[in-house]
PDB file of all heavy atoms in Angstrom:
ATOM      1  N   PRO A   1     -44.478 -76.973  28.792  1.00  0.00           N
ATOM      2  CA  PRO A   1     -44.589 -77.968  29.862  1.00  0.00           C
ATOM      3  C   PRO A   1     -43.266 -78.251  30.570  1.00  0.00           C
ATOM      4  O   PRO A   1     -43.250 -78.817  31.658  1.00  0.00           O
ATOM      5  CB  PRO A   1     -45.096 -79.210  29.123  1.00  0.00           C
ATOM      6  CG  PRO A   1     -44.571 -79.067  27.732  1.00  0.00           C
ATOM      7  CD  PRO A   1     -44.556 -77.583  27.466  1.00  0.00           C
ATOM      8  N   THR A   2     -42.153 -77.845  29.965  1.00  0.00           N
ATOM      9  CA  THR A   2     -40.854 -78.144  30.558  1.00  0.00           C
ATOM     10  C   THR A   2     -40.464 -77.031  31.525  1.00  0.00           C
ATOM     11  O   THR A   2     -40.800 -75.866  31.316  1.00  0.00           O
ATOM     12  CB  THR A   2     -39.788 -78.283  29.455  1.00  0.00           C
ATOM     13  OG1 THR A   2     -39.718 -77.070  28.714  1.00  0.00           O
ATOM     14  CG2 THR A   2     -40.128 -79.434  28.519  1.00  0.00           C
ATOM     15  N   PRO A   3     -39.741 -77.354  32.604  1.00  0.00           N
ATOM     16  CA  PRO A   3     -39.477 -76.358  33.644  1.00  0.00           C
ATOM     17  C   PRO A   3     -38.599 -75.188  33.203  1.00  0.00           C
ATOM     18  O   PRO A   3     -38.868 -74.035  33.562  1.00  0.00           O
ATOM     19  CB  PRO A   3     -38.809 -77.161  34.764  1.00  0.00           C
ATOM     20  CG  PRO A   3     -38.395 -78.446  34.167  1.00  0.00           C
ATOM     21  CD  PRO A   3     -39.242 -78.677  32.966  1.00  0.00           C
ATOM     22  N   VAL A   4     -37.549 -75.431  32.428  1.00  0.00           N
ATOM     23  CA  VAL A   4     -36.659 -74.341  32.013  1.00  0.00           C
ATOM     24  C   VAL A   4     -37.396 -73.405  31.048  1.00  0.00           C
ATOM     25  O   VAL A   4     -37.311 -72.179  31.168  1.00  0.00           O
ATOM     26  CB  VAL A   4     -35.359 -74.890  31.386  1.00  0.00           C
ATOM     27  CG1 VAL A   4     -34.509 -73.777  30.806  1.00  0.00           C
ATOM     28  CG2 VAL A   4     -34.557 -75.674  32.423  1.00  0.00           C
ATOM     29  N   ALA A   5     -38.133 -73.975  30.105  1.00  0.00           N
ATOM     30  CA  ALA A   5     -38.890 -73.154  29.155  1.00  0.00           C
ATOM     31  C   ALA A   5     -39.949 -72.330  29.881  1.00  0.00           C
ATOM     32  O   ALA A   5     -40.140 -71.147  29.585  1.00  0.00           O
ATOM     33  CB  ALA A   5     -39.531 -74.038  28.089  1.00  0.00           C
ATOM     34  N   ALA A   6     -40.631 -72.936  30.847  1.00  0.00           N
ATOM     35  CA  ALA A   6     -41.646 -72.208  31.615  1.00  0.00           C
ATOM     36  C   ALA A   6     -41.001 -71.085  32.431  1.00  0.00           C
ATOM     37  O   ALA A   6     -41.562 -69.991  32.543  1.00  0.00           O
ATOM     38  CB  ALA A   6     -42.405 -73.165  32.519  1.00  0.00           C
ATOM     39  N   LEU A   7     -39.810 -71.346  33.001  1.00  0.00           N
ATOM     40  CA  LEU A   7     -39.101 -70.312  33.751  1.00  0.00           C
ATOM     41  C   LEU A   7     -38.721 -69.140  32.845  1.00  0.00           C
ATOM     42  O   LEU A   7     -38.903 -67.976  33.207  1.00  0.00           O
ATOM     43  CB  LEU A   7     -37.837 -70.898  34.400  1.00  0.00           C
ATOM     44  CG  LEU A   7     -36.861 -69.886  35.013  1.00  0.00           C
ATOM     45  CD1 LEU A   7     -37.518 -69.117  36.144  1.00  0.00           C
ATOM     46  CD2 LEU A   7     -35.607 -70.588  35.496  1.00  0.00           C
ATOM     47  N   LEU A   8     -38.221 -69.428  31.654  1.00  0.00           N
ATOM     48  CA  LEU A   8     -37.855 -68.364  30.720  1.00  0.00           C
ATOM     49  C   LEU A   8     -39.081 -67.562  30.283  1.00  0.00           C
ATOM     50  O   LEU A   8     -39.011 -66.346  30.126  1.00  0.00           O
ATOM     51  CB  LEU A   8     -37.116 -68.956  29.521  1.00  0.00           C
ATOM     52  CG  LEU A   8     -35.709 -69.464  29.840  1.00  0.00           C
ATOM     53  CD1 LEU A   8     -35.187 -70.360  28.722  1.00  0.00           C
ATOM     54  CD2 LEU A   8     -34.768 -68.298  30.092  1.00  0.00           C
ATOM     55  N   GLN A   9     -40.206 -68.236  30.132  1.00  0.00           N
ATOM     56  CA  GLN A   9     -41.437 -67.531  29.784  1.00  0.00           C
ATOM     57  C   GLN A   9     -41.880 -66.619  30.931  1.00  0.00           C
ATOM     58  O   GLN A   9     -42.284 -65.478  30.710  1.00  0.00           O
ATOM     59  CB  GLN A   9     -42.547 -68.513  29.440  1.00  0.00           C
ATOM     60  CG  GLN A   9     -43.828 -67.807  29.064  1.00  0.00           C
ATOM     61  CD  GLN A   9     -45.011 -68.738  28.983  1.00  0.00           C
ATOM     62  OE1 GLN A   9     -45.002 -69.818  29.542  1.00  0.00           O
ATOM     63  NE2 GLN A   9     -46.035 -68.310  28.284  1.00  0.00           N
ATOM     64  N   ARG A  10     -41.800 -67.105  32.161  1.00  0.00           N
ATOM     65  CA  ARG A  10     -42.161 -66.267  33.318  1.00  0.00           C
ATOM     66  C   ARG A  10     -41.223 -65.075  33.451  1.00  0.00           C
ATOM     67  O   ARG A  10     -41.641 -63.972  33.802  1.00  0.00           O
ATOM     68  CB  ARG A  10     -42.150 -67.108  34.600  1.00  0.00           C
ATOM     69  CG  ARG A  10     -43.279 -68.094  34.709  1.00  0.00           C
ATOM     70  CD  ARG A  10     -43.410 -68.678  36.109  1.00  0.00           C
ATOM     71  NE  ARG A  10     -42.178 -69.154  36.702  1.00  0.00           N
ATOM     72  CZ  ARG A  10     -41.685 -70.389  36.594  1.00  0.00           C
ATOM     73  NH1 ARG A  10     -42.339 -71.301  35.899  1.00  0.00           N
ATOM     74  NH2 ARG A  10     -40.565 -70.719  37.197  1.00  0.00           N
ATOM     75  N   ALA A  11     -39.932 -65.282  33.160  1.00  0.00           N
ATOM     76  CA  ALA A  11     -38.968 -64.183  33.213  1.00  0.00           C
ATOM     77  C   ALA A  11     -39.306 -63.134  32.153  1.00  0.00           C
ATOM     78  O   ALA A  11     -39.234 -61.927  32.415  1.00  0.00           O
ATOM     79  CB  ALA A  11     -37.550 -64.711  33.016  1.00  0.00           C
ATOM     80  N   HIS A  12     -39.691 -63.580  30.975  1.00  0.00           N
ATOM     81  CA  HIS A  12     -40.116 -62.650  29.921  1.00  0.00           C
ATOM     82  C   HIS A  12     -41.321 -61.844  30.387  1.00  0.00           C
ATOM     83  O   HIS A  12     -41.359 -60.624  30.227  1.00  0.00           O
ATOM     84  CB  HIS A  12     -40.446 -63.428  28.640  1.00  0.00           C
ATOM     85  CG  HIS A  12     -41.019 -62.561  27.567  1.00  0.00           C
ATOM     86  ND1 HIS A  12     -42.370 -62.406  27.388  1.00  0.00           N
ATOM     87  CD2 HIS A  12     -40.414 -61.791  26.626  1.00  0.00           C
ATOM     88  CE1 HIS A  12     -42.578 -61.579  26.379  1.00  0.00           C
ATOM     89  NE2 HIS A  12     -41.406 -61.190  25.899  1.00  0.00           N
ATOM     90  N   HIS A  13     -42.291 -62.512  30.968  1.00  0.00           N
ATOM     91  CA  HIS A  13     -43.487 -61.823  31.455  1.00  0.00           C
ATOM     92  C   HIS A  13     -43.132 -60.835  32.573  1.00  0.00           C
ATOM     93  O   HIS A  13     -43.693 -59.747  32.650  1.00  0.00           O
ATOM     94  CB  HIS A  13     -44.519 -62.846  31.932  1.00  0.00           C
ATOM     95  CG  HIS A  13     -45.809 -62.227  32.347  1.00  0.00           C
ATOM     96  ND1 HIS A  13     -46.687 -61.672  31.450  1.00  0.00           N
ATOM     97  CD2 HIS A  13     -46.361 -62.045  33.566  1.00  0.00           C
ATOM     98  CE1 HIS A  13     -47.731 -61.196  32.094  1.00  0.00           C
ATOM     99  NE2 HIS A  13     -47.554 -61.404  33.381  1.00  0.00           N
ATOM    100  N   ARG A  14     -42.170 -61.214  33.401  1.00  0.00           N
ATOM    101  CA  ARG A  14     -41.722 -60.333  34.481  1.00  0.00           C
ATOM    102  C   ARG A  14     -41.131 -59.032  33.922  1.00  0.00           C
ATOM    103  O   ARG A  14     -41.427 -57.944  34.406  1.00  0.00           O
ATOM    104  CB  ARG A  14     -40.691 -61.073  35.339  1.00  0.00           C
ATOM    105  CG  ARG A  14     -40.068 -60.285  36.444  1.00  0.00           C
ATOM    106  CD  ARG A  14     -41.011 -60.212  37.590  1.00  0.00           C
ATOM    107  NE  ARG A  14     -40.409 -59.564  38.724  1.00  0.00           N
ATOM    108  CZ  ARG A  14     -40.712 -59.852  39.953  1.00  0.00           C
ATOM    109  NH1 ARG A  14     -41.581 -60.788  40.213  1.00  0.00           N
ATOM    110  NH2 ARG A  14     -40.167 -59.200  40.944  1.00  0.00           N
ATOM    111  N   LEU A  15     -40.315 -59.154  32.881  1.00  0.00           N
ATOM    112  CA  LEU A  15     -39.735 -57.962  32.261  1.00  0.00           C
ATOM    113  C   LEU A  15     -40.811 -57.148  31.549  1.00  0.00           C
ATOM    114  O   LEU A  15     -40.779 -55.916  31.569  1.00  0.00           O
ATOM    115  CB  LEU A  15     -38.644 -58.342  31.265  1.00  0.00           C
ATOM    116  CG  LEU A  15     -37.364 -58.937  31.842  1.00  0.00           C
ATOM    117  CD1 LEU A  15     -36.365 -59.198  30.724  1.00  0.00           C
ATOM    118  CD2 LEU A  15     -36.764 -58.040  32.893  1.00  0.00           C
ATOM    119  N   LEU A  16     -41.757 -57.827  30.961  1.00  0.00           N
ATOM    120  CA  LEU A  16     -42.828 -57.142  30.235  1.00  0.00           C
ATOM    121  C   LEU A  16     -43.701 -56.324  31.174  1.00  0.00           C
ATOM    122  O   LEU A  16     -44.069 -55.199  30.869  1.00  0.00           O
ATOM    123  CB  LEU A  16     -43.670 -58.181  29.490  1.00  0.00           C
ATOM    124  CG  LEU A  16     -44.660 -57.694  28.464  1.00  0.00           C
ATOM    125  CD1 LEU A  16     -43.940 -57.005  27.319  1.00  0.00           C
ATOM    126  CD2 LEU A  16     -45.468 -58.869  27.935  1.00  0.00           C
ATOM    127  N   THR A  17     -44.011 -56.861  32.341  1.00  0.00           N
ATOM    128  CA  THR A  17     -44.908 -56.166  33.270  1.00  0.00           C
ATOM    129  C   THR A  17     -44.169 -55.309  34.290  1.00  0.00           C
ATOM    130  O   THR A  17     -44.678 -54.276  34.701  1.00  0.00           O
ATOM    131  CB  THR A  17     -45.798 -57.172  34.014  1.00  0.00           C
ATOM    132  OG1 THR A  17     -44.966 -58.103  34.713  1.00  0.00           O
ATOM    133  CG2 THR A  17     -46.714 -57.897  33.050  1.00  0.00           C
ATOM    134  N   GLY A  18     -42.979 -55.736  34.705  1.00  0.00           N
ATOM    135  CA  GLY A  18     -42.261 -55.014  35.750  1.00  0.00           C
ATOM    136  C   GLY A  18     -41.220 -54.043  35.260  1.00  0.00           C
ATOM    137  O   GLY A  18     -40.744 -53.203  36.010  1.00  0.00           O
ATOM    138  N   GLY A  19     -40.838 -54.177  34.002  1.00  0.00           N
ATOM    139  CA  GLY A  19     -39.853 -53.274  33.441  1.00  0.00           C
ATOM    140  C   GLY A  19     -38.488 -53.927  33.294  1.00  0.00           C
ATOM    141  O   GLY A  19     -38.158 -54.904  33.962  1.00  0.00           O
ATOM    142  N   TRP A  20     -37.699 -53.380  32.389  1.00  0.00           N
ATOM    143  CA  TRP A  20     -36.368 -53.867  32.087  1.00  0.00           C
ATOM    144  C   TRP A  20     -35.347 -52.817  32.510  1.00  0.00           C
ATOM    145  O   TRP A  20     -35.605 -51.618  32.419  1.00  0.00           O
ATOM    146  CB  TRP A  20     -36.257 -54.126  30.585  1.00  0.00           C
ATOM    147  CG  TRP A  20     -34.876 -54.466  30.119  1.00  0.00           C
ATOM    148  CD1 TRP A  20     -34.291 -55.686  30.126  1.00  0.00           C
ATOM    149  CD2 TRP A  20     -33.908 -53.564  29.581  1.00  0.00           C
ATOM    150  NE1 TRP A  20     -33.022 -55.602  29.621  1.00  0.00           N
ATOM    151  CE2 TRP A  20     -32.754 -54.303  29.272  1.00  0.00           C
ATOM    152  CE3 TRP A  20     -33.904 -52.204  29.336  1.00  0.00           C
ATOM    153  CZ2 TRP A  20     -31.620 -53.733  28.732  1.00  0.00           C
ATOM    154  CZ3 TRP A  20     -32.764 -51.616  28.796  1.00  0.00           C
ATOM    155  CH2 TRP A  20     -31.637 -52.387  28.494  1.00  0.00           C
ATOM    156  N   CYS A  21     -34.196 -53.283  32.985  1.00  0.00           N
ATOM    157  CA  CYS A  21     -33.111 -52.362  33.315  1.00  0.00           C
ATOM    158  C   CYS A  21     -31.795 -52.970  32.864  1.00  0.00           C
ATOM    159  O   CYS A  21     -31.728 -54.134  32.486  1.00  0.00           O
ATOM    160  CB  CYS A  21     -33.083 -52.048  34.809  1.00  0.00           C
ATOM    161  SG  CYS A  21     -32.524 -53.404  35.857  1.00  0.00           S
ATOM    162  N   LYS A  22     -30.754 -52.174  32.931  1.00  0.00           N
ATOM    163  CA  LYS A  22     -29.413 -52.672  32.611  1.00  0.00           C
ATOM    164  C   LYS A  22     -28.442 -52.189  33.678  1.00  0.00           C
ATOM    165  O   LYS A  22     -28.772 -51.318  34.478  1.00  0.00           O
ATOM    166  CB  LYS A  22     -28.977 -52.229  31.215  1.00  0.00           C
ATOM    167  CG  LYS A  22     -28.785 -50.753  31.037  1.00  0.00           C
ATOM    168  CD  LYS A  22     -28.443 -50.481  29.585  1.00  0.00           C
ATOM    169  CE  LYS A  22     -27.403 -49.402  29.459  1.00  0.00           C
ATOM    170  NZ  LYS A  22     -26.905 -49.241  28.116  1.00  0.00           N
ATOM    171  N   ASP A  23     -27.287 -52.811  33.730  1.00  0.00           N
ATOM    172  CA  ASP A  23     -26.213 -52.484  34.664  1.00  0.00           C
ATOM    173  C   ASP A  23     -26.541 -52.860  36.107  1.00  0.00           C
ATOM    174  O   ASP A  23     -25.833 -52.447  37.022  1.00  0.00           O
ATOM    175  CB  ASP A  23     -25.839 -50.993  34.588  1.00  0.00           C
ATOM    176  CG  ASP A  23     -25.354 -50.590  33.200  1.00  0.00           C
ATOM    177  OD1 ASP A  23     -24.689 -51.417  32.552  1.00  0.00           O
ATOM    178  OD2 ASP A  23     -25.657 -49.464  32.772  1.00  0.00           O
ATOM    179  N   ALA A  24     -27.605 -53.601  36.340  1.00  0.00           N
ATOM    180  CA  ALA A  24     -27.954 -54.077  37.690  1.00  0.00           C
ATOM    181  C   ALA A  24     -28.961 -55.210  37.562  1.00  0.00           C
ATOM    182  O   ALA A  24     -29.680 -55.299  36.568  1.00  0.00           O
ATOM    183  CB  ALA A  24     -28.549 -52.946  38.516  1.00  0.00           C
ATOM    184  N   LEU A  25     -28.993 -56.081  38.580  1.00  0.00           N
ATOM    185  CA  LEU A  25     -30.014 -57.140  38.566  1.00  0.00           C
ATOM    186  C   LEU A  25     -31.407 -56.546  38.705  1.00  0.00           C
ATOM    187  O   LEU A  25     -32.361 -57.033  38.109  1.00  0.00           O
ATOM    188  CB  LEU A  25     -29.766 -58.158  39.686  1.00  0.00           C
ATOM    189  CG  LEU A  25     -28.566 -59.084  39.501  1.00  0.00           C
ATOM    190  CD1 LEU A  25     -28.370 -59.946  40.737  1.00  0.00           C
ATOM    191  CD2 LEU A  25     -28.750 -59.964  38.276  1.00  0.00           C
ATOM    192  N   ALA A  26     -31.527 -55.492  39.517  1.00  0.00           N
ATOM    193  CA  ALA A  26     -32.803 -54.792  39.706  1.00  0.00           C
ATOM    194  C   ALA A  26     -32.496 -53.337  40.017  1.00  0.00           C
ATOM    195  O   ALA A  26     -31.477 -53.027  40.624  1.00  0.00           O
ATOM    196  CB  ALA A  26     -33.592 -55.416  40.839  1.00  0.00           C
ATOM    197  N   ASP A  27     -33.378 -52.452  39.598  1.00  0.00           N
ATOM    198  CA  ASP A  27     -33.188 -51.043  39.924  1.00  0.00           C
ATOM    199  C   ASP A  27     -34.183 -50.612  40.996  1.00  0.00           C
ATOM    200  O   ASP A  27     -35.000 -51.413  41.465  1.00  0.00           O
ATOM    201  CB  ASP A  27     -33.264 -50.157  38.674  1.00  0.00           C
ATOM    202  CG  ASP A  27     -34.652 -50.095  38.053  1.00  0.00           C
ATOM    203  OD1 ASP A  27     -35.606 -50.672  38.611  1.00  0.00           O
ATOM    204  OD2 ASP A  27     -34.793 -49.457  36.997  1.00  0.00           O
ATOM    205  N   GLU A  28     -34.112 -49.347  41.398  1.00  0.00           N
ATOM    206  CA  GLU A  28     -34.956 -48.860  42.494  1.00  0.00           C
ATOM    207  C   GLU A  28     -36.439 -48.823  42.127  1.00  0.00           C
ATOM    208  O   GLU A  28     -37.293 -48.782  43.006  1.00  0.00           O
ATOM    209  CB  GLU A  28     -34.498 -47.472  42.960  1.00  0.00           C
ATOM    210  CG  GLU A  28     -34.580 -46.384  41.911  1.00  0.00           C
ATOM    211  CD  GLU A  28     -33.363 -46.325  40.979  1.00  0.00           C
ATOM    212  OE1 GLU A  28     -32.375 -47.042  41.200  1.00  0.00           O
ATOM    213  OE2 GLU A  28     -33.427 -45.557  40.007  1.00  0.00           O
ATOM    214  N   ASP A  29     -36.768 -48.854  40.830  1.00  0.00           N
ATOM    215  CA  ASP A  29     -38.167 -48.847  40.408  1.00  0.00           C
ATOM    216  C   ASP A  29     -38.769 -50.249  40.331  1.00  0.00           C
ATOM    217  O   ASP A  29     -39.944 -50.397  40.037  1.00  0.00           O
ATOM    218  CB  ASP A  29     -38.301 -48.174  39.039  1.00  0.00           C
ATOM    219  CG  ASP A  29     -37.918 -46.707  39.088  1.00  0.00           C
ATOM    220  OD1 ASP A  29     -38.136 -46.083  40.141  1.00  0.00           O
ATOM    221  OD2 ASP A  29     -37.406 -46.196  38.075  1.00  0.00           O
ATOM    222  N   GLY A  30     -37.947 -51.282  40.551  1.00  0.00           N
ATOM    223  CA  GLY A  30     -38.441 -52.651  40.500  1.00  0.00           C
ATOM    224  C   GLY A  30     -38.242 -53.333  39.164  1.00  0.00           C
ATOM    225  O   GLY A  30     -38.655 -54.473  38.990  1.00  0.00           O
ATOM    226  N   ALA A  31     -37.600 -52.653  38.220  1.00  0.00           N
ATOM    227  CA  ALA A  31     -37.304 -53.269  36.930  1.00  0.00           C
ATOM    228  C   ALA A  31     -36.118 -54.220  37.100  1.00  0.00           C
ATOM    229  O   ALA A  31     -35.290 -54.052  37.996  1.00  0.00           O
ATOM    230  CB  ALA A  31     -36.984 -52.193  35.903  1.00  0.00           C
ATOM    231  N   HIS A  32     -36.045 -55.253  36.245  1.00  0.00           N
ATOM    232  CA  HIS A  32     -34.985 -56.265  36.331  1.00  0.00           C
ATOM    233  C   HIS A  32     -34.281 -56.407  34.996  1.00  0.00           C
ATOM    234  O   HIS A  32     -34.838 -56.103  33.949  1.00  0.00           O
ATOM    235  CB  HIS A  32     -35.578 -57.621  36.722  1.00  0.00           C
ATOM    236  CG  HIS A  32     -36.043 -57.674  38.131  1.00  0.00           C
ATOM    237  ND1 HIS A  32     -37.278 -57.215  38.532  1.00  0.00           N
ATOM    238  CD2 HIS A  32     -35.438 -58.127  39.250  1.00  0.00           C
ATOM    239  CE1 HIS A  32     -37.410 -57.385  39.822  1.00  0.00           C
ATOM    240  NE2 HIS A  32     -36.305 -57.933  40.289  1.00  0.00           N
ATOM    241  N   CYS A  33     -33.059 -56.920  35.066  1.00  0.00           N
ATOM    242  CA  CYS A  33     -32.359 -57.315  33.854  1.00  0.00           C
ATOM    243  C   CYS A  33     -32.780 -58.752  33.536  1.00  0.00           C
ATOM    244  O   CYS A  33     -33.558 -59.355  34.272  1.00  0.00           O
ATOM    245  CB  CYS A  33     -30.847 -57.209  34.030  1.00  0.00           C
ATOM    246  SG  CYS A  33     -30.143 -58.468  35.120  1.00  0.00           S
ATOM    247  N   MET A  34     -32.257 -59.297  32.459  1.00  0.00           N
ATOM    248  CA  MET A  34     -32.637 -60.660  32.058  1.00  0.00           C
ATOM    249  C   MET A  34     -32.312 -61.667  33.159  1.00  0.00           C
ATOM    250  O   MET A  34     -33.160 -62.478  33.545  1.00  0.00           O
ATOM    251  CB  MET A  34     -31.914 -61.051  30.766  1.00  0.00           C
ATOM    252  CG  MET A  34     -32.275 -60.195  29.574  1.00  0.00           C
ATOM    253  SD  MET A  34     -31.126 -60.415  28.199  1.00  0.00           S
ATOM    254  CE  MET A  34     -31.641 -61.979  27.567  1.00  0.00           C
ATOM    255  N   LEU A  35     -31.081 -61.612  33.672  1.00  0.00           N
ATOM    256  CA  LEU A  35     -30.663 -62.567  34.701  1.00  0.00           C
ATOM    257  C   LEU A  35     -31.414 -62.322  36.010  1.00  0.00           C
ATOM    258  O   LEU A  35     -31.766 -63.268  36.716  1.00  0.00           O
ATOM    259  CB  LEU A  35     -29.148 -62.468  34.918  1.00  0.00           C
ATOM    260  CG  LEU A  35     -28.506 -63.580  35.724  1.00  0.00           C
ATOM    261  CD1 LEU A  35     -28.785 -64.938  35.098  1.00  0.00           C
ATOM    262  CD2 LEU A  35     -27.014 -63.356  35.845  1.00  0.00           C
ATOM    263  N   GLY A  36     -31.682 -61.065  36.342  1.00  0.00           N
ATOM    264  CA  GLY A  36     -32.448 -60.760  37.547  1.00  0.00           C
ATOM    265  C   GLY A  36     -33.864 -61.309  37.474  1.00  0.00           C
ATOM    266  O   GLY A  36     -34.396 -61.825  38.467  1.00  0.00           O
TER     267      GLY A  36
END
């Protein structure tokens, strides 16, 4: 129910469905790093 926790959960889901990358906020395939 809290905004920061919900944001972190959405970010986790984003990496799970969109892919994870390193050395960049986002890569050409649409994958993101944690901060991205």
Side-chain angles (χ1 to χ4, degrees):
T2 59
V4 173
L7 170 62
L8 289 165
Q9 181 191 20
R10 289 193 312 270
H12 174 266
H13 184 71
R14 176 79 175 211
L15 292 183
L16 192 64
T17 58
W20 173 85
C21 72
K22 66 184 219 172
D23 300 325
L25 288 175
D27 68 4
E28 62 276 353
D29 295 328
H32 289 83
C33 71
M34 297 166 76
L35 193 57

